[in-house]
Amino acid sequence: MIRITGTGSAVPARRVTNDDLGKIVDTSDEWIRSRTGIESRYLAVEETTTGLSAEAAKKALAAAGVSAEELDLIIAATVTPDRFLPNLSCEIQRELGAKNAVAFDLNAACSGFLFSLDTAYMYLRTGRYRKALIIGAETLSKIIDWTDRSTCVLFGDGAGAAVLENVPEETGCADRASGAAAGNGAGESRGILSIRMGSDGGRGMVLSCDNRPVSNPYVKRESGLSYVSMDGQEVYKFAVRTVPHIIGLAVEEAGLAVEEIDLFLLHQANIRIIEAVAKRLRQPMEKFPVNLRDCGNISAASVPILLDNVRKHDMIKKGSKIVLAGFGAGLTWGATVLEW
Ligand code: UT7
């Protein structure tokens, strides 16, 4: 059985409120709150994607009781690594001293953590590796145009991590005993029950950020930096249509009904998207924890930070049935159903 056995998260120290942003662009707390639900975000000043990732990873390893040397695999999902080379995962490997791990990055924007989970799951499922660390980490503030009020109010920085293990069945039995002892009435935890992913490159330009332009002795081109640009309404429509659909498929594949899901942990982009998904699934908002008020949209880091937040607030019990769902640039999307 393949399970998440530990989680961790980290955000920068500097908290920036909507009123703070009102001093640098033509916006207001009222507009940002009412259109998005966001009240503040954390922005890196001294922090790096690597540093935030390593902090989140150390917490996840401690929660799982797994040492860095035991890790076989590290997958980091990011669109904002500190360097082109080496990759973020290798930098995290170095910071942790995880010398036995294979490490590589994955870019699927705001769905990145779901794609990392899917990839790690398949490696563990085949038996090739037993213990994986998956991370979603961003310092989006460095690819945002801080003069563009339509995007700069939305995003934040941070990292979330999870340890994924292929747990032998006998450990599952021990867990079942401890679950019963905890009095939650849960049966044997079955770990990850289903994963469904999707992509549509045809609609990719609704949310984009160019890389550095080609620059070599054979081309004359102004080199310039590009920042995130987004057709917010198109992304909004895509999200409210696609997310309920992919969740429905994943829940069905898990052999469950939507009503049996205890928590839906969605990518934190906009409270109105979360409310629309809840409505389409006919599920109460109490099942949809939210941290975007505090953190804004942290792309690949958003789902694992939320997972860590709800775990720390004891909102997850052994046997809880949880959906994780992401959506974003690419376009990409994905959902998984797991039993804690
Ligand atoms: O993680 C990636 C996924 N991304 C998303 O999920 C984003 C999805 N989209 C959204 O969340 C929403 O579309 C936004 C929050 C980005 C925008 O909300 P909206 O209700 O679609 O607003 P809008 O773009 O239609 O803009 C409405 C008005 C415009 O002014 P006019 O043309 O009506 O005069 C904008 O210029 O609001 C203006 N506006 C702002 N006003 C104050 C745009 N940004 C701001 C701002 N402050 N920050």
Side-chain angles (χ1 to χ4, degrees), residues 101-172:
V102 169
F104 63 91
D105 288 4
L106 184 155
N107 175 346
C110 304
S111 317
F113 185 76
L114 270 297
F115 278 79
S116 297
L117 185 137
D118 189 28
T119 308
Y121 174 84
M122 296 311 291
Y123 274 116
L124 299 188
R125 181 97 195 254
T126 61
R128 178 143 186 190
Y129 302 127
R130 282 202 49 205
K131 293 178 199 274
L133 174 69
I134 54 173
I135 297 147
E138 306 288 3
T139 43
L140 293 170
S141 55
K142 66 193 175 201
I143 60 166
I144 299 300
D145 176 356
W146 289 96
T147 65
D148 176 8
R149 68 176 182 176
S150 70
T151 51
C152 77
V153 301
L154 304 174
F155 299 100
D157 300 334
V163 174
L164 211 60
E165 292 184 67
N166 193 337
V167 183
E169 288 305 317
E170 52 273 23
T171 311

Side-chain angles (χ1 to χ4, degrees), residues 26-28 31-32 35-36 110 149-150 153-155 207 230 232-233 235-236 239 267 269-270 272-273 297 299 327-329:
D26 181 14
T27 190
S28 65
W31 191 97
I32 303 169
R35 300 278 178 144
T36 70
C110 304
R149 68 176 182 176
S150 70
V153 301
L154 304 174
F155 299 100
L207 177 48
M230 177 169 71
Q233 294 194 358
V235 178
Y236 188 97
H267 170 50
N270 187 320
R272 292 187 293 145
I273 293 176
N297 176 347
S299 192
F327 60 90

Side-chain angles (χ1 to χ4, degrees), residues 160-273:
V163 174
L164 211 60
E165 292 184 67
N166 193 337
V167 183
E169 288 305 317
E170 52 273 23
T171 311
C173 293
D175 283 356
R176 183 175 60 220
S178 68
N184 62 24
E188 182 179 354
S189 170
R190 292 176 295 156
I192 293 170
L193 302 178
S194 67
I195 309 178
R196 292 296 292 254
M197 311 300 298
S199 310
D200 178 6
R203 288 187 285 166
M205 294 319 285
V206 300
L207 177 48
S208 67
C209 179
D210 291 346
N211 206 329
R212 297 194 301 202
V214 170
S215 171
N216 64 42
Y218 308 102
V219 62
K220 281 200 191 326
R221 195 167 288 167
E222 293 271 316
S223 98
L225 290 174
S226 163
Y227 296 97
V228 169
S229 73
M230 177 169 71
D231 181 336
Q233 294 194 358
E234 282 306 311
V235 178
Y236 188 97
K237 282 188 259 173
F238 146 69
V240 300
R241 280 183 201 139
T242 309
V243 176
H245 179 67
I246 195 78
I247 289 176
L249 293 178
V251 170
E252 189 183 339
E253 191 175 300
L256 295 170
V258 174
E259 293 70 26
E260 293 178 86
I261 302 298
D262 299 299
L263 288 177
F264 297 86
L265 307 185
L266 268 48
H267 170 50
Q268 302 285 295
N270 187 320
I271 190 69
R272 292 187 293 145
I273 293 176

Side-chain angles (χ1 to χ4, degrees), residues 284-323:
M285 269 303 282
E286 294 72 57
K287 287 189 176 186
F288 292 75
V290 166
N291 69 4
L292 62 78
R293 285 190 188 95
D294 190 37
C295 300
N297 176 347
I298 322 180
S299 192
S302 134
V303 170
I305 292 177
L306 183 63
L307 176 62
D308 187 51
N309 292 165
V310 298
R311 189 185 64 78
K312 279 192 193 132
H313 284 94
D314 289 331
M315 292 171 71
I316 305 181
K317 297 190 175 82
K318 186 150 186 64
S320 293
K321 293 177 185 64
I322 302 167
V323 163

